[in-house]
Amino acid sequence: MIKTIITSSEVHAVENDKLVGKIEFSLSNNDVTILHTYAYESGRRIGSLLMEAAIKWAETNHYRITPICSFAKKYLERT
């Protein structure tokens, strides 16, 4: 099972103590800028899982999301 962990500048996807993906972001004045999304294994929806965690965290904290990363832009357009 993949779990997500949010740090001060990244969202990590971890499975069996192994990092399987991450989002790098910056936070400034209630704005979360998503810089990069990395999924280290394809076909497992790791990028989507990371985005879901980032969106939930941003909504909970009343942050606005600004996607710079192309994956994040496409994900937000679709959802």
Side-chain angles (χ1 to χ4, degrees):
M1 180 176 172
I2 299 174
K3 63 181 176 179
T4 55
I5 301 165
I6 300 176
T7 71
S8 62
S9 62
E10 295 182 335
V11 182
H12 293 173
V14 178
E15 182 176 45
N16 298 323
D17 296 324
K18 178 184 172 192
L19 184 66
V20 294
K22 71 179 179 179
I23 285 177
E24 295 174 347
F25 67 86
S26 64
L27 178 62
S28 177
N29 298 327
N30 294 334
D31 186 67
V32 176
T33 302
I34 298 178
L35 305 169
H36 302 284
T37 304
Y38 302 97
Y40 302 128
E41 298 176 21
S42 62
R44 298 190 58 203
R45 297 193 70 248
I46 294 170
S48 296
L49 177 68
L50 287 164
M51 283 300 298
E52 290 165 7
I55 291 167
K56 183 177 179 182
W57 174 74
E59 288 175 346
T60 299
N61 291 287
H62 307 287
Y63 296 149
R64 180 176 175 262
I65 295 177
T66 302
I68 300 296
C69 162
S70 61
F71 177 83
K73 284 180 184 178
K74 290 177 186 174
Y75 185 89
L76 290 171
E77 288 172 1
R78 287 191 310 248
T79 58

